[in-house]
Amino acid sequence: MGRAPCCEKMGLKRGPWTPEEDKVLVAHIQSFGHGNWRALPKQAGLLRCGKSCRLRWINYLRPDIKRGNFSDEEEQSIIQLHQLLGNRWSAIAARLPGRTDNEIKNVWHTHLKKRLEPSEQEQHEQAGAAKKRKPASASAPRKRDSKARKTDVKATAEPPVSPERSLSSTVTDSSTSMVSAAAAEHGGSSGNSAGSSSVSVKEEQSFTSESEEFQIDESFWSETLSMPLDDIMDVVSMEPQPQETFGGNSSSEGDMDYWLRVFMEGGGGDQDVLDLPQI
DNA sequence: AAAGTATGCAACCGCGGCAAC
DNA sequence: TGTTGCCGCGGTTGCATACTT
């Protein structure tokens, strides 16, 4: 509801961007910023929809984009972050300066995913997954033509529930309470302060019963962005031990301890999730 | 050398979230 | 309180190139 049409396609150009278009877009954004993506193409004189402009800028034209191959460190970070965050490419990208979610997504699907052991994927598959965004169509392609594409070949090699999706959900089920606590500890300084505050409220409300303890609010992930990478890595690599991981010095230390305890006692140390493969 | 296949990347599509009205 | 409009995200697709037969 209330969603604007993807873009009024009438008269708008699609497909690859030309250098001229790039130039125009960059010049316009450098001059006027991109306060309103929808209005930007018109203002800049581009026959593109706002979405396309935004995508082009974010994924390609932004001055702080780091091009080129991913370093081993970056790849390992992606793998670890993916273990923790699942297919939250934007969240992962936020931890890798100069890298875009689209790029990371591509790298994952073309390189990193293949490194996972098949057995590992099976574990993740068995973990079962409830898709968050579109539960009813979690594993079903939204659209797909009948012709056998190469991606179809890839897809058939994968379980009906993709490993990362399962993994994502598993992580969500078992470890998010811990991460959430950590994220909350960091004050939710993701820049989306309104979202952060609402998250904490939501979480307090949603955890009113034992059965709901692990129903982490979707918006939690936005807070994860505010979490230093080191902390995330701590969480990822954490063995069931020291609670000082959260280094409590805030007023919510008690809550931290509580959620950590809940996590630990609830089998949250589920090694399926937190024991990362040695890369 | 040509045809077929696989791979990688850029871009598109459609949805959910959220603020403004 | 419901509706509208925009932004951002994740999944998917299209296409160029590399590789294999």
Side-chain angles (χ1 to χ4, degrees):
Chain A
M1 72 180 174
R3 178 159 33 96
C6 172
C7 58
E8 44 278 282
K9 298 178 175 65
M10 298 298 291
L12 293 185
K13 189 180 173 199
R14 296 177 54 196
W17 280 66
T18 65
E20 288 74 23
E21 286 176 312
D22 285 346
K23 228 181 290 182
V24 170
L25 180 59
V26 169
H28 183 83
I29 290 177
Q30 285 178 344
S31 299
F32 306 102
H34 51 75
N36 186 341
W37 286 113
R38 195 172 170 82
L40 187 147
K42 196 173 292 182
Q43 295 168 352
L46 288 167
L47 292 176
R48 295 275 183 173
C49 71
K51 268 187 174 185
S52 185
C53 292
R54 176 184 159 273
L55 204 65
R56 183 63 177 173
W57 172 257
I58 289 177
N59 287 334
Y60 204 84
L61 298 176
R62 243 170 46 195
D64 56 334
I65 292 285
K66 190 195 295 182
R67 312 299 302 180
N69 294 335
F70 279 61
S71 66
D72 290 344
E73 289 76 16
E74 285 176 315
E75 289 186 351
Q76 294 202 14
S77 294
I78 292 170
I79 292 170
Q80 290 182 317
L81 287 166
H82 187 270
Q83 290 274 354
L84 178 67
L85 301 171
N87 293 4
R88 310 261 167 184
W89 306 117
S90 61
I92 294 172
R95 293 290 154 200
L96 294 170
R99 300 299 188 181
T100 69
D101 55 352
N102 204 37
E103 193 176 14
I104 291 170
K105 183 168 56 180
N106 284 334
V107 167
W108 173 262
H109 283 121
T110 56
H111 293 111
L112 304 181
K113 191 166 74 173
K114 295 170 185 174
R115 296 186 188 176
L116 292 178
E117 294 295 328
S119 60
E120 196 178 4
Q121 295 187 19
E122 289 171 8
Q123 288 179 2
H124 298 155
E125 181 183 0
Q126 292 171 357
K131 185 162 177 10
K132 291 182 178 180
R133 283 182 61 135
K134 287 165 284 191
S137 61
S139 60
R142 276 201 291 269
K143 60 178 177 181
R144 165 170 289 188
D145 58 27
S146 58
K147 105 179 146 179
R149 300 184 74 257
K150 59 197 174 211
T151 49
D152 288 325
V153 174
K154 290 179 188 173
T156 54
E158 295 175 357
V161 177
S162 66
E164 62 268 23
R165 177 63 60 195
S166 300
L167 178 58
S168 170
S169 299
T170 305
V171 170
T172 300
D173 289 341
S174 62
S175 67
T176 44
S177 60
M178 183 166 66
V179 179
S180 176
E185 164 126 334
H186 284 278
S189 59
S190 63
N192 185 5
S193 57
S196 299
S197 60
S198 67
V199 165
S200 59
V201 171
K202 285 180 186 174
E203 289 187 355
E204 286 179 8
Q205 291 175 341
S206 63
F207 296 155
T208 54
S209 71
E210 195 76 3
S211 63
E212 294 174 346
E213 282 181 354
F214 293 99
Q215 294 179 4
I216 304 302
D217 191 276
E218 174 75 2
S219 58
F220 145 76
W221 292 105
S222 64
E223 288 200 353
T224 307
L225 297 181
S226 64
M227 203 173 158
L229 178 57
D230 288 346
D231 285 7
I232 291 179
M233 293 313 174
D234 286 347
V235 171
V236 170
S237 62
M238 189 198 309
E239 296 295 335
Q241 57 171 316
Q243 304 183 3
E244 64 229 41
T245 301
F246 297 117
N249 59 354
S250 71
S251 60
S252 60
E253 183 176 2
D255 291 337
M256 302 298 115
D257 293 343
Y258 170 73
W259 289 114
L260 180 59
R261 191 168 61 251
V262 167
F263 174 77
M264 295 305 178
E265 292 175 359
D270 190 345
Q271 279 37 0
D272 281 353
V273 174
L274 293 182
D275 280 0
L276 297 179
Q278 296 304 311
I279 302 161

